[in-house]
């Protein structure tokens, strides 16, 4: 057991499928990507996520070689690909609009690349057969793209990528043109395909749910800068800035402003709520930076820690209970997301369907502070 | 009370229907008059070309021919006189074809490649080049006459078909480039990206992906270029020699060089012959013309 694990780690260490080093990209005088450093291992599913205009698609185009980079290095499968043409990078790409060639039927769409590269007809047919089996598009081969539904086009676009058998797959928001139901289905299919074929993928999306669901490694970007890189759960649990905290997770993490306060060597977070002072012990918090008394800090707490039932197995001092006024009730069926009036703002909590919550009637709310994030209010960085 | 109101509504409905019909009627009447107005010259040309000279002198302009004769057409085609040579339009018709077909082909092809490159292979200054090319659409023929004559002399193409073809092709490029560029604007650049990753190069992408999408705009361009070049007179008369004159120049010579009686019927027949090819192009490709002009998006 131990042995295999070690082997695996060794193998992974040798197989850095994609290394991006100090990548900068300027369009004229505007810097769209700043000093990006990302490394992924073979078999990783890297998702680049961020609000629109954060540079995630540009970064993907840079990896593909469709955009030249201003400085830095791109290494794919241990080969320096920084200034290599897209076709020689051993990659395949799926586009948001699918970019199927409109005048060619599905078969020709899939084999176009092989034909251009001069591969034999037998090889083309074999690869086509293989791919159409995997994606179950065998009966669509003679159709033109215009005769396909959104989901079928999506499949064909993936087929065109798969047939290449590349070292790295690039997906540029491939699901955003599909309706909600189909999006969830295709998302699952991509995930299954990834598990089955053990391919390495770089995937761009603006949808943080999609990002969380798919990624084995998540890169959160904003304004051309990589904000955080890590496993989805790690980023969810320990966002390294207020931006990431607000962006990842839906509904978003609640952010409460206050100050650090020391009492007999114990560290507290203190904030005002409707004229009352609330004090929460944050001694248990494993901070990466030293928190000093009087420092302005922002406390982040996920909605799932704000509930209507007293949490069990949690130290008493970690919990406070308050009566809060509901201002928005959203029913999901399996739970209710409720926005509660909290000082000048609102906080979101999760309640069970059984709990009766009515507009205008304050609810007894338990806030469990055992699992929180703390940020410096000035720098907006994690403490 | 209620009855009155109802009757009132019915009456007003009837009234509005009457006005609606009246408006329709006037609209069609006006359109009809315009149509007549436009068809009249052609009508006069056709009937005049089918009359004998005597009949022309006796009858009115609009009276139908009593004895239909095709003689004027024969004369116009093979023996009408332009100055001293009496060979009809036949040879010049061929001259025009020899000039128009390659010129249309070349300007369309270059326009397509230009439009494709300027839209989907943007480089530094590509927008400026396109703007300058567009500027070419607004340069009147007269301005380029002299420099073009000098250039043709320098490259030893004066008076030749090749020279005429070159002049027309070059003059057509701004228009054809604009047509193709605007058409290719509706084709997503992601197609180019996908093909690049598939390993296709500039020309491969052009002829495997863009050209098959282009028939509507090719038809528009061909109609436009064919009509312009076929109907051109100024370049034709400036840059040709007796052996390479296009049909427009010959028509002018025939109509203007009459000795004695003016043969209106031959002139009319000649004019129709000269206009026939462009007319045919419109009839054959007209519906594609409308379709191409209004072609919006390419559904992928």
């Amino acid at each position: 057991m131990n042995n295999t694990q070690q082997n695996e780690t060794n193998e992974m260490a040798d197989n850095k499928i994609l290394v991006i080093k100090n990548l900068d990209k300027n369009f004229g005088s505007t810097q769209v990507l700043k000093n990006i450093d990302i490394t992924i291992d073979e078999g990783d599913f890297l998702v680049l996520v961020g609000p629109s205009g954060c540079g995630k698609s540009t970064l993907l185009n840079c990896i593909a070689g469709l955009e030249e980079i201003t400085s830095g290095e791109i290494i794919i499968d241990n080969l320096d690909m920084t200034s290599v043409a897209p076709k020689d990078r051993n990659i395949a790409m799926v586009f948001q609009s699918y970019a199927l060639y409109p005048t060619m039927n599905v078969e020709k769409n899939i084999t176009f690349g092989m034909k251009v590269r001069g591969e034999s007809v037998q090889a083309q047919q074999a690869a086509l057969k293989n791919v159409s089996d995997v994606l179950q598009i065998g009966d669509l081969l003679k159709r033109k793209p215009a005769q396909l539904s959104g989901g079928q086009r999506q499949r064909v676009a993936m087929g065109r990528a798969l047939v290449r058998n590349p070292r790295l797959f690039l997906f540029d928001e491939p699901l955003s043109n599909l309706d909600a139901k189909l999006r969830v289905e295709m998302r699952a299919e991509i995930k299954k395909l990834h598990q089955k074929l053990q391919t390495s993928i770089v995937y761009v999306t603006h949808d943080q749910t999609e990002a969380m669901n798919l990624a084995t490694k998540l890169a959160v970007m904003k304004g051309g800068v990589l904000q955080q890189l890590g496993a989805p759960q790690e980023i969810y649990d320990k966002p390294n800035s207020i931006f990431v905290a607000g962006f990842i997770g839906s509904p978003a993490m609640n952010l409460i402003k206050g100050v650090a306060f020391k009492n007999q060597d114990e560290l507290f977070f203190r904030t005002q709520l409707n004229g009352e002072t609330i004090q929460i012990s944050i001694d248990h918090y494993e901070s990466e930076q030293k928190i000093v008394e009087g420092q302005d800090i922002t406390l982040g707490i996920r909605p799932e820690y704000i509930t209507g039932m007293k949490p069990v197995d949690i130290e008493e001092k970690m919990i406070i209970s308050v009566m809060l006024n509901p201002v928005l009730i959203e029913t999901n069926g399996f739970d209710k997301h409720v926005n509660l009036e909290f000082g000048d703002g609102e906080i979101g909590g999760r309640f069970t369907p059984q709990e009766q919550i009515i507009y205008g009637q304050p609810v007894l709310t338990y806030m469990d502070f055992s699992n929180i994030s703390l940020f410096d209010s000035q720098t907006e960085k994690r403490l | 009370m209620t009855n009155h109101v109802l009757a009132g509504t019915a009456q007003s409905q009837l009234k509005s229907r009457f006005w609606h019909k009246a408006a329709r009627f006037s609209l069609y009447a006006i359109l009809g008059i315009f149509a007549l107005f436009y068809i009249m010259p052609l009508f006069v040309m056709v009937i005049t070309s089918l009359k004998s000279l005597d009949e022309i002198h006796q009858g009115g302009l609009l009276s139908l021919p009593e004895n239909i004769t095709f003689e004027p057409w024969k004369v116009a085609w093979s023996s009408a006189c332009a100055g001293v040579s009496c060979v009809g339009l036949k040879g010049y018709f061929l001259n025009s074809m020899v000039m128009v077909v390659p010129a249309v082909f070349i300007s369309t092809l270059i326009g397509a490649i230009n439009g494709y490159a300027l839209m989907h292979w943007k480089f530094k200054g590509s927008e400026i080049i396109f703007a300058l090319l567009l500027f070419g659409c607004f340069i009147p023929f007269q301005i380029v006459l002299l420099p073009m004559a000098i250039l043709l002399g320098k490259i030893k193409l004066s008076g030749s078909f090749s020279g005429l073809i070159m002049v027309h092709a070059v003059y057509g490029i701004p228009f054809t480039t604009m047509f193709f560029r605007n058409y290719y604007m509706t084709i997503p650049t992601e197609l180019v990206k996908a093909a690049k990753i598939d390993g296709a190069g500039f020309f491969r992408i052009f002829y495997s992906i863009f050209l098959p999408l282009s028939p509507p705009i090719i038809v528009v361009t061909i109609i436009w270029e064919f009509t312009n070049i076929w109907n051109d007179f100024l370049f034709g008369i400036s840059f040709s020699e007796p052996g390479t004159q296009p049909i427009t120049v010959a028509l002018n010579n025939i109509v203007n060089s009459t000795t004695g009686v003016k043969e209106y019927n031959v002139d009319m027949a000649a004019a129709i012959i000269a206009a026939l090819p462009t007319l045919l192009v419109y009839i054959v490709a007209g519906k594609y013309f409308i379709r191409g002009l209004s072609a919006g998006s390419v559904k992928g």
Side-chain angles (χ1 to χ4, degrees), chain B residues 219-242:
Chain B
V219 171
V220 171
T221 310
I222 286 178
I223 292 180
W224 174 266
E225 281 299 294
F226 188 95
T227 313
N228 274 345
I229 300 174
W230 185 274
N231 288 340
D232 163 70
F233 178 73
L234 192 60
F235 284 166
I237 198 162
S238 308
F239 303 132
S240 64
E241 284 171 349

mmCIF file of all heavy atoms in Angstrom, chain B residues 219-242:
data_model
loop_
_atom_site.group_PDB
_atom_site.id
_atom_site.type_symbol
_atom_site.label_atom_id
_atom_site.label_comp_id
_atom_site.label_asym_id
_atom_site.label_seq_id
_atom_site.Cartn_x
_atom_site.Cartn_y
_atom_site.Cartn_z
ATOM 1 N N VAL B 219 -21.811 35.115 -55.308
ATOM 2 C CA VAL B 219 -22.802 35.519 -56.310
ATOM 3 C C VAL B 219 -22.978 37.036 -56.317
ATOM 4 O O VAL B 219 -22.971 37.678 -57.366
ATOM 5 C CB VAL B 219 -24.149 34.807 -56.054
ATOM 6 C CG1 VAL B 219 -25.223 35.391 -56.950
ATOM 7 C CG2 VAL B 219 -24.006 33.320 -56.297
ATOM 8 N N VAL B 220 -23.095 37.608 -55.129
ATOM 9 C CA VAL B 220 -23.242 39.065 -55.035
ATOM 10 C C VAL B 220 -22.056 39.755 -55.715
ATOM 11 O O VAL B 220 -22.217 40.681 -56.511
ATOM 12 C CB VAL B 220 -23.319 39.505 -53.553
ATOM 13 C CG1 VAL B 220 -23.237 41.019 -53.438
ATOM 14 C CG2 VAL B 220 -24.608 39.015 -52.934
ATOM 15 N N THR B 221 -20.870 39.274 -55.394
ATOM 16 C CA THR B 221 -19.663 39.900 -55.928
ATOM 17 C C THR B 221 -19.596 39.753 -57.444
ATOM 18 O O THR B 221 -19.250 40.701 -58.153
ATOM 19 C CB THR B 221 -18.423 39.248 -55.286
ATOM 20 O OG1 THR B 221 -18.616 39.242 -53.877
ATOM 21 C CG2 THR B 221 -17.169 40.019 -55.616
ATOM 22 N N ILE B 222 -19.943 38.564 -57.923
ATOM 23 C CA ILE B 222 -19.887 38.341 -59.373
ATOM 24 C C ILE B 222 -20.870 39.265 -60.090
ATOM 25 O O ILE B 222 -20.527 39.904 -61.082
ATOM 26 C CB ILE B 222 -20.165 36.855 -59.709
ATOM 27 C CG1 ILE B 222 -18.945 36.024 -59.332
ATOM 28 C CG2 ILE B 222 -20.478 36.694 -61.199
ATOM 29 C CD1 ILE B 222 -19.113 34.539 -59.559
ATOM 30 N N ILE B 223 -22.077 39.363 -59.577
ATOM 31 C CA ILE B 223 -23.064 40.251 -60.213
ATOM 32 C C ILE B 223 -22.540 41.686 -60.234
ATOM 33 O O ILE B 223 -22.550 42.364 -61.255
ATOM 34 C CB ILE B 223 -24.417 40.191 -59.469
ATOM 35 C CG1 ILE B 223 -25.053 38.827 -59.668
ATOM 36 C CG2 ILE B 223 -25.352 41.292 -59.963
ATOM 37 C CD1 ILE B 223 -26.387 38.662 -58.975
ATOM 38 N N TRP B 224 -22.062 42.112 -59.093
ATOM 39 C CA TRP B 224 -21.573 43.482 -58.968
ATOM 40 C C TRP B 224 -20.423 43.749 -59.944
ATOM 41 O O TRP B 224 -20.435 44.726 -60.701
ATOM 42 C CB TRP B 224 -21.143 43.724 -57.527
ATOM 43 C CG TRP B 224 -20.491 45.051 -57.310
ATOM 44 C CD1 TRP B 224 -19.158 45.319 -57.335
ATOM 45 C CD2 TRP B 224 -21.136 46.291 -57.051
ATOM 46 N NE1 TRP B 224 -18.934 46.645 -57.101
ATOM 47 C CE2 TRP B 224 -20.137 47.273 -56.929
ATOM 48 C CE3 TRP B 224 -22.489 46.670 -56.915
ATOM 49 C CZ2 TRP B 224 -20.421 48.602 -56.668
ATOM 50 C CZ3 TRP B 224 -22.762 47.999 -56.645
ATOM 51 C CH2 TRP B 224 -21.740 48.943 -56.532
ATOM 52 N N GLU B 225 -19.459 42.881 -59.913
ATOM 53 C CA GLU B 225 -18.268 43.086 -60.732
ATOM 54 C C GLU B 225 -18.582 42.928 -62.222
ATOM 55 O O GLU B 225 -18.129 43.705 -63.053
ATOM 56 C CB GLU B 225 -17.183 42.083 -60.319
ATOM 57 C CG GLU B 225 -16.443 42.483 -59.061
ATOM 58 C CD GLU B 225 -15.722 43.809 -59.226
ATOM 59 O OE1 GLU B 225 -14.780 43.864 -60.044
ATOM 60 O OE2 GLU B 225 -16.110 44.793 -58.577
ATOM 61 N N PHE B 226 -19.360 41.900 -62.539
ATOM 62 C CA PHE B 226 -19.705 41.653 -63.941
ATOM 63 C C PHE B 226 -20.418 42.872 -64.523
ATOM 64 O O PHE B 226 -20.073 43.370 -65.591
ATOM 65 C CB PHE B 226 -20.596 40.407 -64.063
ATOM 66 C CG PHE B 226 -20.832 39.971 -65.472
ATOM 67 C CD1 PHE B 226 -20.031 39.000 -66.048
ATOM 68 C CD2 PHE B 226 -21.832 40.551 -66.249
ATOM 69 C CE1 PHE B 226 -20.227 38.597 -67.354
ATOM 70 C CE2 PHE B 226 -22.031 40.167 -67.557
ATOM 71 C CZ PHE B 226 -21.224 39.185 -68.113
ATOM 72 N N THR B 227 -21.415 43.356 -63.786
ATOM 73 C CA THR B 227 -22.187 44.501 -64.270
ATOM 74 C C THR B 227 -21.283 45.710 -64.468
ATOM 75 O O THR B 227 -21.327 46.379 -65.496
ATOM 76 C CB THR B 227 -23.292 44.842 -63.252
ATOM 77 O OG1 THR B 227 -23.951 43.652 -62.884
ATOM 78 C CG2 THR B 227 -24.270 45.822 -63.824
ATOM 79 N N ASN B 228 -20.460 45.991 -63.449
ATOM 80 C CA ASN B 228 -19.595 47.171 -63.537
ATOM 81 C C ASN B 228 -18.619 47.092 -64.696
ATOM 82 O O ASN B 228 -18.433 48.046 -65.434
ATOM 83 C CB ASN B 228 -18.803 47.341 -62.236
ATOM 84 C CG ASN B 228 -19.614 48.121 -61.224
ATOM 85 O OD1 ASN B 228 -20.615 48.743 -61.581
ATOM 86 N ND2 ASN B 228 -19.198 48.070 -59.979
ATOM 87 N N ILE B 229 -17.975 45.945 -64.829
ATOM 88 C CA ILE B 229 -16.917 45.843 -65.831
ATOM 89 C C ILE B 229 -17.520 45.771 -67.230
ATOM 90 O O ILE B 229 -17.037 46.396 -68.163
ATOM 91 C CB ILE B 229 -16.006 44.626 -65.549
ATOM 92 C CG1 ILE B 229 -15.361 44.773 -64.162
ATOM 93 C CG2 ILE B 229 -14.928 44.504 -66.622
ATOM 94 C CD1 ILE B 229 -14.561 43.580 -63.709
ATOM 95 N N TRP B 230 -18.603 45.016 -67.351
ATOM 96 C CA TRP B 230 -19.253 44.902 -68.663
ATOM 97 C C TRP B 230 -19.747 46.278 -69.132
ATOM 98 O O TRP B 230 -19.604 46.648 -70.283
ATOM 99 C CB TRP B 230 -20.425 43.918 -68.599
ATOM 100 C CG TRP B 230 -21.041 43.675 -69.940
ATOM 101 C CD1 TRP B 230 -22.018 44.420 -70.532
ATOM 102 C CD2 TRP B 230 -20.705 42.653 -70.868
ATOM 103 N NE1 TRP B 230 -22.316 43.924 -71.760
ATOM 104 C CE2 TRP B 230 -21.521 42.828 -71.998
ATOM 105 C CE3 TRP B 230 -19.793 41.580 -70.840
ATOM 106 C CZ2 TRP B 230 -21.454 41.991 -73.102
ATOM 107 C CZ3 TRP B 230 -19.735 40.744 -71.938
ATOM 108 C CH2 TRP B 230 -20.555 40.953 -73.058
ATOM 109 N N ASN B 231 -20.328 47.034 -68.205
ATOM 110 C CA ASN B 231 -20.908 48.321 -68.573
ATOM 111 C C ASN B 231 -19.889 49.453 -68.659
ATOM 112 O O ASN B 231 -20.233 50.557 -69.058
ATOM 113 C CB ASN B 231 -21.991 48.723 -67.578
ATOM 114 C CG ASN B 231 -23.232 47.873 -67.739
ATOM 115 O OD1 ASN B 231 -23.432 47.259 -68.784
ATOM 116 N ND2 ASN B 231 -24.053 47.831 -66.717
ATOM 117 N N ASP B 232 -18.650 49.181 -68.247
ATOM 118 C CA ASP B 232 -17.676 50.275 -68.225
ATOM 119 C C ASP B 232 -17.374 50.771 -69.632
ATOM 120 O O ASP B 232 -17.205 50.000 -70.574
ATOM 121 C CB ASP B 232 -16.376 49.813 -67.582
ATOM 122 C CG ASP B 232 -15.254 50.761 -67.926
ATOM 123 O OD1 ASP B 232 -15.279 51.890 -67.433
ATOM 124 O OD2 ASP B 232 -14.378 50.369 -68.742
ATOM 125 N N PHE B 233 -17.290 52.084 -69.744
ATOM 126 C CA PHE B 233 -16.974 52.700 -71.021
ATOM 127 C C PHE B 233 -15.635 53.429 -70.960
ATOM 128 O O PHE B 233 -14.801 53.313 -71.860
ATOM 129 C CB PHE B 233 -18.092 53.685 -71.389
ATOM 130 C CG PHE B 233 -17.866 54.413 -72.669
ATOM 131 C CD1 PHE B 233 -17.995 53.766 -73.895
ATOM 132 C CD2 PHE B 233 -17.503 55.752 -72.669
ATOM 133 C CE1 PHE B 233 -17.778 54.439 -75.080
ATOM 134 C CE2 PHE B 233 -17.284 56.429 -73.856
ATOM 135 C CZ PHE B 233 -17.419 55.777 -75.058
ATOM 136 N N LEU B 234 -15.411 54.120 -69.844
ATOM 137 C CA LEU B 234 -14.262 55.014 -69.754
ATOM 138 C C LEU B 234 -12.926 54.264 -69.841
ATOM 139 O O LEU B 234 -12.060 54.588 -70.651
ATOM 140 C CB LEU B 234 -14.341 55.808 -68.451
ATOM 141 C CG LEU B 234 -13.384 56.978 -68.355
ATOM 142 C CD1 LEU B 234 -13.630 57.979 -69.464
ATOM 143 C CD2 LEU B 234 -13.522 57.652 -67.006
ATOM 144 N N PHE B 235 -12.767 53.243 -68.982
ATOM 145 C CA PHE B 235 -11.532 52.450 -69.054
ATOM 146 C C PHE B 235 -11.437 51.776 -70.419
ATOM 147 O O PHE B 235 -10.369 51.672 -71.002
ATOM 148 C CB PHE B 235 -11.496 51.379 -67.956
ATOM 149 C CG PHE B 235 -11.170 51.922 -66.595
ATOM 150 C CD1 PHE B 235 -11.380 51.157 -65.455
ATOM 151 C CD2 PHE B 235 -10.626 53.195 -66.451
ATOM 152 C CE1 PHE B 235 -11.076 51.648 -64.208
ATOM 153 C CE2 PHE B 235 -10.326 53.698 -65.203
ATOM 154 C CZ PHE B 235 -10.555 52.917 -64.068
ATOM 155 N N GLY B 236 -12.605 51.287 -70.902
ATOM 156 C CA GLY B 236 -12.652 50.576 -72.179
ATOM 157 C C GLY B 236 -12.128 51.426 -73.318
ATOM 158 O O GLY B 236 -11.328 50.969 -74.145
ATOM 159 N N ILE B 237 -12.569 52.681 -73.343
ATOM 160 C CA ILE B 237 -12.154 53.523 -74.465
ATOM 161 C C ILE B 237 -10.741 54.051 -74.246
ATOM 162 O O ILE B 237 -10.002 54.300 -75.201
ATOM 163 C CB ILE B 237 -13.158 54.678 -74.698
ATOM 164 C CG1 ILE B 237 -12.963 55.261 -76.104
ATOM 165 C CG2 ILE B 237 -13.027 55.760 -73.657
ATOM 166 C CD1 ILE B 237 -14.141 56.070 -76.569
ATOM 167 N N SER B 238 -10.328 54.182 -72.977
ATOM 168 C CA SER B 238 -9.015 54.775 -72.707
ATOM 169 C C SER B 238 -7.879 53.779 -72.901
ATOM 170 O O SER B 238 -6.807 54.132 -73.370
ATOM 171 C CB SER B 238 -8.960 55.300 -71.273
ATOM 172 O OG SER B 238 -10.050 56.131 -71.013
ATOM 173 N N PHE B 239 -8.089 52.557 -72.514
ATOM 174 C CA PHE B 239 -6.970 51.617 -72.459
ATOM 175 C C PHE B 239 -7.056 50.512 -73.506
ATOM 176 O O PHE B 239 -6.438 49.467 -73.351
ATOM 177 C CB PHE B 239 -6.868 50.995 -71.056
ATOM 178 C CG PHE B 239 -6.717 52.016 -69.969
ATOM 179 C CD1 PHE B 239 -7.506 51.967 -68.833
ATOM 180 C CD2 PHE B 239 -5.779 53.047 -70.089
ATOM 181 C CE1 PHE B 239 -7.369 52.909 -67.834
ATOM 182 C CE2 PHE B 239 -5.646 53.994 -69.089
ATOM 183 C CZ PHE B 239 -6.443 53.931 -67.957
ATOM 184 N N SER B 240 -7.860 50.728 -74.559
ATOM 185 C CA SER B 240 -7.954 49.657 -75.562
ATOM 186 C C SER B 240 -7.424 50.145 -76.909
ATOM 187 O O SER B 240 -7.260 51.343 -77.131
ATOM 188 C CB SER B 240 -9.405 49.208 -75.702
ATOM 189 O OG SER B 240 -10.183 50.271 -76.192
ATOM 190 N N GLU B 241 -7.184 49.174 -77.766
ATOM 191 C CA GLU B 241 -6.829 49.471 -79.150
ATOM 192 C C GLU B 241 -7.984 48.967 -80.008
ATOM 193 O O GLU B 241 -8.859 48.258 -79.509
ATOM 194 C CB GLU B 241 -5.539 48.726 -79.524
ATOM 195 C CG GLU B 241 -4.308 49.361 -78.946
ATOM 196 C CD GLU B 241 -3.074 48.499 -79.136
ATOM 197 O OE1 GLU B 241 -3.224 47.321 -79.535
ATOM 198 O OE2 GLU B 241 -1.976 48.998 -78.862
ATOM 199 N N PRO B 242 -8.001 49.279 -81.306
ATOM 200 C CA PRO B 242 -9.097 48.792 -82.141
ATOM 201 C C PRO B 242 -9.384 47.301 -81.960
ATOM 202 O O PRO B 242 -10.543 46.904 -81.911
ATOM 203 C CB PRO B 242 -8.605 49.096 -83.547
ATOM 204 C CG PRO B 242 -7.788 50.336 -83.369
ATOM 205 C CD PRO B 242 -7.130 50.217 -82.024
#
